[in-house]
């Protein structure tokens, strides 16, 4: 991860792309329930707000809690590594849930056409 700003941009980008796919499907795919897609867009907005509010972490220890600076830096690095891994895992789980909801809202004919296109 380069920095916090880039991570926030990636969260916004991913959520924006998911919402765009929902809106396109709601308006241009026959048989899709627009109300279901609107609800999914609401879930995406909720995910984005939640993710952006939980993306900042702070290491609760100071250098004085460690025997030397190297031990402090190592512990701090491990803390952030675990925190961001946990954040990514939770975010990805929510994205998978949303994608499942999106797929469930598609009519069976569209699902069959997508499967056939993937086999080509």
């Amino acid at each position: 991860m380069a920095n916090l700003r880039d991570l926030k941009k990636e969260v916004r980008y991913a959520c924006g792309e998911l919402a765009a796919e929902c809106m396109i499907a709601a308006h241009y795919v026959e048989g899709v329930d627009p109300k279901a897609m609107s609800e999914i867009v609401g879930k995406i907005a909720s995910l984005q707000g939640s993710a952006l509010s939980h993306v900042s972490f702070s290491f609760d220890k100071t250098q004085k809690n460690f025997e030397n600076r190297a031990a402090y830096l190592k512990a701090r690095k491990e803390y952030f590594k675990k925190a961001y891994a946990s954040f990514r895992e939770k975010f990805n789980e929510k994205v998978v849930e949303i994608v499942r909801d999106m797929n469930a809202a598609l009519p069976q004919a569209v699902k069959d056409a997508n499967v056939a296109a993937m086999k080509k």
Side-chain angles (χ1 to χ4, degrees), residues 37-81:
M37 286 297 180
S38 293
E39 290 174 7
I40 294 170
V41 170
K43 288 181 184 179
I44 295 167
S46 175
L47 170 64
Q48 179 175 326
S50 173
L52 291 176
S53 68
H54 291 100
V55 76
S56 298
F57 307 103
S58 61
F59 189 54
D60 60 346
K61 300 192 184 205
T62 64
Q63 193 169 343
K64 292 178 183 180
N65 298 106
F66 296 90
E67 57 196 45
N68 58 33
R69 181 166 170 77
Y72 166 74
L73 292 175
K74 182 179 178 182
R76 186 173 183 266
K77 182 179 178 180
E78 283 299 314
Y79 171 80
F80 283 111
K81 184 177 178 181

Side-chain angles (χ1 to χ4, degrees), residues 87-102:
F87 172 81
R88 282 190 306 272
E89 182 180 323
K90 290 176 185 175
F91 182 77
N92 288 337
E93 286 174 5
K94 293 291 186 180
V95 168
V96 168
E97 279 181 33
I98 289 170
V99 170
R100 284 187 186 134
D101 291 344
M102 290 167 64

